[in-house]
Coordinates of all heavy atoms in Angstrom, one line a residue:
Chain B
T66 N -23.2 -15.8 -8.0 CA -23.7 -16.5 -9.3 C -23.9 -15.3 -10.2 O -23.8 -15.5 -11.5 CB -25.1 -17.1 -8.8 OG1 -24.8 -18.3 -8.1 CG2 -25.7 -17.5 -10.1
V67 N -24.2 -14.1 -9.7 CA -24.5 -13.1 -10.7 C -23.1 -12.8 -11.5 O -23.2 -12.6 -12.7 CB -24.8 -11.9 -10.0 CG1 -24.9 -10.6 -10.9 CG2 -26.3 -12.1 -9.4
Y68 N -21.9 -12.8 -10.8 CA -20.7 -12.5 -11.3 C -20.5 -13.6 -12.3 O -20.0 -13.3 -13.5 CB -19.6 -12.5 -10.4 CG -19.5 -11.2 -9.6 CD1 -19.8 -11.0 -8.3 CD2 -18.9 -10.1 -10.4 CE1 -19.6 -9.7 -7.6 CE2 -18.7 -8.8 -9.7 CZ -19.0 -8.8 -8.4 OH -18.8 -7.5 -7.9
R69 N -20.6 -14.9 -11.9 CA -20.4 -15.8 -12.9 C -21.2 -15.9 -14.2 O -20.8 -16.2 -15.2 CB -20.5 -17.2 -12.2 CG -19.1 -17.5 -11.3 CD -18.9 -18.9 -11.0 NE -19.5 -19.3 -9.7 CZ -18.8 -19.8 -8.7 NH1 -17.6 -20.0 -8.8 NH2 -19.6 -20.1 -7.5
S70 N -22.5 -15.6 -13.9 CA -23.5 -15.5 -15.0 C -23.0 -14.4 -16.0 O -23.0 -14.5 -17.2 CB -24.7 -15.2 -14.4 OG -25.7 -15.2 -15.4
L71 N -22.6 -13.3 -15.4 CA -22.3 -12.1 -16.2 C -20.9 -12.4 -17.1 O -20.9 -12.1 -18.2 CB -22.0 -10.9 -15.4 CG -23.3 -10.3 -14.8 CD1 -22.9 -9.2 -13.8 CD2 -24.1 -9.5 -15.9
E72 N -20.1 -13.2 -16.5 CA -18.9 -13.6 -17.2 C -19.2 -14.5 -18.4 O -18.6 -14.3 -19.3 CB -17.9 -14.2 -16.1 CG -16.5 -14.6 -16.6 CD -15.9 -15.6 -15.8 OE1 -16.0 -15.5 -14.5 OE2 -15.1 -16.5 -16.3
R73 N -20.2 -15.4 -18.1 CA -20.6 -16.4 -19.1 C -21.4 -15.5 -20.2 O -20.8 -15.8 -21.4 CB -21.6 -17.2 -18.5 CG -21.8 -18.7 -19.0 CD -22.7 -19.3 -18.2 NE -22.6 -19.5 -16.8 CZ -23.4 -19.4 -15.9 NH1 -24.6 -19.3 -16.2 NH2 -23.0 -19.5 -14.6
L74 N -22.1 -14.6 -20.0 CA -22.7 -13.8 -20.9 C -21.8 -12.9 -21.7 O -21.9 -12.8 -22.9 CB -23.8 -13.0 -20.3 CG -25.0 -13.8 -19.8 CD1 -25.9 -12.8 -18.8 CD2 -25.9 -14.4 -20.8
A75 N -20.8 -12.5 -21.0 CA -19.8 -11.6 -21.7 C -19.0 -12.5 -22.8 O -18.6 -12.1 -23.9 CB -18.9 -11.1 -20.7
R76 N -18.7 -13.7 -22.3 CA -17.8 -14.6 -23.3 C -18.8 -15.0 -24.3 O -18.3 -15.2 -25.5 CB -17.6 -15.9 -22.5 CG -16.1 -15.9 -21.9 CD -15.6 -17.4 -21.8 NE -16.6 -18.2 -20.9 CZ -16.8 -18.2 -19.6 NH1 -15.9 -17.5 -18.9 NH2 -17.7 -18.9 -19.0
A77 N -20.0 -14.9 -24.2 CA -21.0 -15.3 -25.3 C -21.2 -14.2 -26.2 O -22.1 -14.3 -27.0 CB -22.3 -16.0 -24.7
G78 N -20.7 -13.0 -25.8 CA -20.9 -11.7 -26.5 C -22.4 -11.1 -26.3 O -22.7 -10.3 -27.1
Q79 N -23.0 -11.6 -25.2 CA -24.3 -11.0 -24.9 C -24.3 -9.8 -24.0 O -25.2 -9.1 -23.8 CB -25.2 -12.0 -24.3 CG -25.5 -13.1 -25.3 CD -26.5 -14.0 -25.0 OE1 -27.8 -13.7 -25.1 NE2 -26.3 -15.4 -24.6
V80 N -23.3 -9.6 -23.3 CA -23.0 -8.5 -22.3 C -21.7 -8.0 -22.4 O -20.7 -8.7 -22.6 CB -23.3 -9.1 -20.8 CG1 -22.7 -8.3 -19.8 CG2 -24.8 -9.4 -20.7
S81 N -21.6 -6.7 -22.1 CA -20.4 -5.9 -22.2 C -20.0 -5.8 -20.8 O -20.7 -5.4 -19.8 CB -20.4 -4.7 -23.0 OG -21.3 -3.7 -22.3
I82 N -18.6 -5.6 -20.5 CA -18.1 -5.4 -19.1 C -17.1 -4.2 -19.3 O -16.3 -4.3 -20.1 CB -17.3 -6.5 -18.5 CG1 -18.2 -7.7 -18.6 CG2 -16.9 -6.3 -17.2 CD1 -17.6 -9.0 -18.1
S83 N -17.5 -3.1 -18.5 CA -16.7 -1.9 -18.8 C -16.5 -1.1 -17.4 O -17.4 -1.0 -16.6 CB -17.3 -0.9 -19.7 OG -17.9 -1.6 -20.7
D84 N -15.2 -0.5 -17.3 CA -15.0 0.3 -16.3 C -15.2 1.8 -16.7 O -14.5 2.2 -17.6 CB -13.7 0.1 -15.8 CG -13.1 1.0 -14.6 OD1 -14.1 1.9 -14.3 OD2 -12.1 1.1 -14.2
M85 N -16.3 2.5 -16.2 CA -16.6 3.8 -16.7 C -16.1 4.8 -15.6 O -16.6 5.9 -15.7 CB -18.1 3.9 -17.0 CG -18.4 3.1 -18.2 SD -20.2 3.2 -18.7 CE -20.3 4.8 -19.3
G86 N -15.2 4.4 -14.9 CA -14.5 5.2 -13.8 C -15.5 5.6 -12.7 O -15.3 6.7 -12.0
T87 N -16.4 4.8 -12.4 CA -17.4 5.1 -11.4 C -17.1 4.3 -10.0 O -17.8 4.4 -9.0 CB -18.8 4.8 -11.7 OG1 -18.9 3.5 -12.2 CG2 -19.2 5.7 -12.8

Side-chain angles (χ1 to χ4, degrees):
Chain B
T66 295
V67 169
Y68 274 112
R69 282 198 268 233
S70 182
L71 286 168
E72 184 194 329
R73 208 180 300 142
L74 291 168
R76 262 199 312 273
Q79 302 193 68
V80 160
S81 66
I82 304 181
S83 325
D84 177 355
M85 293 180 74
T87 53

